[in-house]
Amino acid sequence: MQIFNGKVVCPRCDGNGLVYKSRIDNLDLIVYICDECDASWQDDDICLNKFQDLSTFLQSKGLTYKDAKILDLGCDWKK
Ligand SMILES: [Zn+2]
């Protein structure tokens, strides 16, 4: 996992995005999302072979991106 200023760098878009923690309110779930490419992780092991596209993940839960109530809990979750 690559860390920049205490924040986790997205391994998928190669340093362009930071991974923030978020809570999907309708699902009562914590996910970790890249602010650039919308790669998502369901646990805090942020590695390239585990990401799922956020919209794909939401669809698998019966939600669209628009319906999902995504609360941004910030990028400082790693500390
Ligand atoms: Zn990314």
Side-chain angles (χ1 to χ4, degrees):
M1 211 174 338
Q2 198 193 336
I3 310 288
F4 176 75
N5 280 350
K7 293 161 179 146
V8 176
V9 176
C10 174
R12 185 206 194 186
C13 56
D14 217 17
N16 282 316
L18 293 172
V19 178
Y20 63 93
K21 185 175 186 176
S22 72
R23 185 171 183 279
I24 304 192
D25 225 17
N26 353 27
L27 298 175
D28 200 18
L29 266 182
I30 297 292
V31 288
Y32 300 86
I33 305 170
C34 171
D35 62 2
E36 272 296 316
C37 68
D38 278 350
S40 71
W41 290 264
Q42 285 170 73
D43 60 56
D44 61 5
D45 183 19
I46 309 301
C47 59
L48 189 55
N49 57 9
K50 277 192 178 176
F51 88 88
Q52 202 175 12
D53 211 56
L54 181 61
S55 55
T56 308
F57 168 70
L58 292 173
Q59 265 169 34
S60 75
K61 302 287 184 188
L63 279 178
T64 65
Y65 194 84
K66 232 174 77 193
D67 295 332
K69 292 185 173 56
I70 301 173
L71 308 176
D72 185 345
L73 303 179
C75 283
D76 290 326
W77 55 271
K78 196 58 197 166
K79 285 177 191 161

